[in-house]
Amino acid sequence: MSQCRVCGASVTLFLDLGNQPLSDVFPAGTPGSEADEFFYRLRVGACTGCAMVQLLEEVPRERMFGDHYPYRSSGSAVMRRHFTALAKRLLALELSGRDDPFVVELGCNDGVMLRTLARAQIRHLGVEPSVRISQTAVECGVQVLNAYFDQETAVRISAEHGPADVIYAANTLCHIPYVTSVLDGVAELLTDDGVFVFEDPYLGDIVASTSFDQIYDEHFFLFSATTVARLAERHGLALVDVERLPVHGGELRYTLARAGKRRAGGAVAELVAEEAARGLHTPEALSVFATAVRRNAHDLVELLSRLRGEGRTIAAYGATAKSATVTNYCNIGPELVSVVYDTTPEKQGRVTPGTHIPVTPAAEFADPYPDYAVLFAWNHAAEIMTKETGFTDHGGRWITYVPEVRVL
Ligand code: SAM
Ligand code: TMP
Ligand code: ZN
């Protein structure tokens, strides 16, 4: 029995994705280099008290976000535009008119968002534990504190810089099992009329599109409007706005303010009602999702095995952290998918976690093109397909498994 990291009630398992490696640790691929891969059990459940969907086992944070951490936010042009637009919106709607405003970002990574605020000479601080990745942020003029944000870090920041008008986090809050300490920290650090804005993959989209690869070690929570509203309340905060985002396969942007300080817009009540109407957190809905996951996994292995049996060559595109869940749950190794193409230098020349498919620079995709390419980075499908039109012009076919297994 596991206890909810938000409210302490028991968590009921609805999907067991088996033993999994760390999703962002790519072994060197040399003999013996895989021997010390760390495995954990990937099981996901819903709280019987507050409904929060969460993993049953926590991977120690130092194993995930050390200096080996390879993820670079700026690797996608779409995401660069997304974060620039968000920074401009914060400037226009939250920061203008304030006297010497201060912005704190949790998980600023390579500074993809804060570089716009730095250029606008806004006082800011990016909190980022992965030192190596954060060096790029520093080179772009971003102020960085190399630390894990929690209540203690918030006290330190507040003492040194004063309160924050905006606290922002993208694809970071859902990574943090000690979310209650983070929210205590936010409540400590925020100005009286400040906002905490964060965006993360949305449970509603994950269930609707059977995107079970959104579940992995780093994605500890799968948030929804209902569960975030309850989480906020426990910390004297209120969910005052939600916005659907198309990025990363479907996310929600949440805005929290101190309780009573801002009127909640209609979007919150609307989405909470919609989640209730579709029974999003009910054991029945989560069990239907789990069945769909098993079907997709089965269909994918069947398709790849058939194509290989017919002598087709199959590669994959995007050595995403997400795909570790798929390859390890489905036991897809180099016999089925011979290579994964990816633009990240830190992943190239290595092998994928657990099932050890070689990772090769995306620039080599055409030499020669495979017959089929599985879109591991399906969340960047439009960007990748636009860039790689030569593949389909050449007769190549994309394979996806979201929302179902299909040859495109
Ligand atoms: N915000 C960027 C984006 O959306 O592309 C980066 C997201 S990345 C998936 C998650 C980031 O959170 C990593 O850079 C990781 O090192 C950082 N992180 C993990 N735990 C953290 C914590 N407690 N406080 C601040 N950052 C943290
Ligand atoms: P993400 O889904 O966590 O953002 O990871 C995307 C991965 O796909 C990352 O390793 C970079 C890679 N990638 C490419 O190789 N080419 C591309 O055009 C894009 C957008 C991503
Ligand atoms: Zn709970």
Side-chain angles (χ1 to χ4, degrees):
M1 183 83 77
S2 171
Q3 283 188 314
C4 175
R5 297 299 296 261
V6 173
C7 76
S10 63
V11 175
T12 308
L13 172 80
F14 64 82
L15 179 62
D16 185 345
L17 292 163
N19 287 331
Q20 292 278 348
L22 300 167
S23 61
D24 256 326
V25 176
F26 289 72
T30 49
S33 70
E34 299 107 10
D36 42 59
E37 265 189 296
F38 176 88
F39 282 81
Y40 69 101
R41 188 67 176 243
L42 181 56
R43 286 174 301 175
V44 57
C47 174
T48 52
C50 72
M52 182 65 84
V53 174
Q54 58 200 281
L55 302 192
L56 274 63
E57 189 179 321
E58 171 181 0
V59 171
R61 62 191 187 181
E62 287 75 14
R63 285 195 179 273
M64 297 188 282
F65 306 115
D67 259 359
H68 62 273
Y69 181 71
Y71 185 70
R72 287 183 178 273
S73 304
S74 295
S76 155
V78 169
M79 292 313 297
R80 287 199 298 275
R81 285 198 292 276
H82 172 83
F83 289 120
T84 304
L86 179 275
K88 287 184 175 162
R89 200 162 107 178
L90 289 179
L91 279 168
L93 298 182
E94 292 293 341
L95 302 172
S96 79
R98 290 190 190 245
D99 183 24
D100 189 25
F102 178 46
V103 176
V104 173
E105 183 182 9
L106 325 185
C108 72
N109 197 274
D110 60 6
V112 68
M113 192 289 278
L114 280 181
R115 57 184 74 172
T116 304
L117 297 189
R119 270 198 294 273
Q121 303 200 315
I122 295 290
R123 211 155 53 83
H124 66 272
L125 187 67
V127 185
E128 175 51 66
S130 296
V131 180
R132 197 175 50 83
I133 295 288
S134 74
Q135 274 156 6
T136 309
V138 173
E139 284 158 20
C140 295
V142 171
Q143 303 291 319
V144 177
L145 171 67
N146 288 127
Y148 289 93
F149 187 90
D150 57 10
Q151 204 251 346
E152 222 172 278
T153 312
V155 171
R156 264 173 65 198
I157 296 172
S158 185
E160 200 171 320
H161 302 269
D165 301 281
V166 172
I167 303 176
Y168 176 72
N171 306 299
T172 297
L173 195 68
C174 79
H175 289 51
I176 308 182
Y178 43 98
V179 68
T180 55
S181 174
V182 171
L183 274 262
D184 282 344
V186 166
E188 176 95 33
L189 184 58
L190 211 55
T191 54
D192 209 35
D193 61 346
V195 283
F196 176 33
V197 179
F198 63 95
E199 48 197 74
D200 281 300
Y202 175 40
L203 175 69
D205 288 320
I206 294 168
V207 168
S209 61
T210 318
S211 46
F212 67 102
D213 56 348
Q214 292 282 18
I215 304 166
Y216 54 96
D217 51 354
E218 295 168 12
H219 285 184
F220 190 86
F221 293 109
L222 305 182
F223 293 139
S224 65
T226 306
T227 55
V228 166
R230 290 175 184 161
L231 169 66
E233 255 178 50
R234 302 177 69 86
H235 296 269
L237 301 166
L239 177 62
V240 295
D241 195 18
V242 281
E243 184 187 352
R244 308 282 293 254
L245 303 174
V247 296
H248 287 313
E251 299 206 318
L252 270 191
R253 180 178 288 154
Y254 305 87
T255 302
L256 272 51
R258 290 191 189 280
K261 285 289 169 187
R262 283 198 191 198
R263 247 163 50 106
V268 174
E270 236 171 74
L271 194 56
V272 168
E274 183 188 312
E275 291 174 357
R278 66 186 272 204
L280 181 61
H281 304 89
T282 60
E284 295 74 25
L286 296 171
S287 154
V288 167
F289 167 66
T291 303
V293 169
R294 288 187 281 270
R295 189 190 55 236
N296 271 19
H298 169 270
D299 291 354
L300 180 62
V301 174
E302 195 173 68
L303 173 66
L304 299 180
S305 305
R306 179 171 62 76
L307 294 173
R308 289 295 294 131
E310 293 167 359
R312 311 289 181 179
T313 54
I314 309 174
Y317 206 105
T320 54
K322 284 187 284 299
S323 59
T325 296
V326 178
T327 50
N328 286 278
Y329 182 58
C330 299
N331 197 17
I332 295 170
E335 338 63 62
L336 286 181
V337 170
S338 58
V339 61
V340 186
Y341 293 99
D342 193 285
T343 50
T344 315
E346 288 83 356
K347 298 180 184 178
Q348 295 162 355
R350 296 182 164 262
V351 296
T352 59
T355 66
H356 308 147
I357 306 171
V359 182
T360 296
E364 292 169 22
F365 188 38
D367 343 320
Y369 283 125
D371 298 324
Y372 291 84
V374 188
L375 249 180
F376 282 171
W378 57 267
N379 49 317
H380 300 291
E383 181 171 351
I384 290 170
M385 286 174 168
T386 307
K387 193 158 64 179
E388 299 289 2
T389 47
F391 173 54
T392 38
D393 289 349
H394 224 257
R397 307 282 300 271
W398 293 105
I399 294 173
T400 189
Y401 42 82
V402 176
E404 71 254 315
V405 176
R406 267 184 313 147
V407 178
L408 302 178

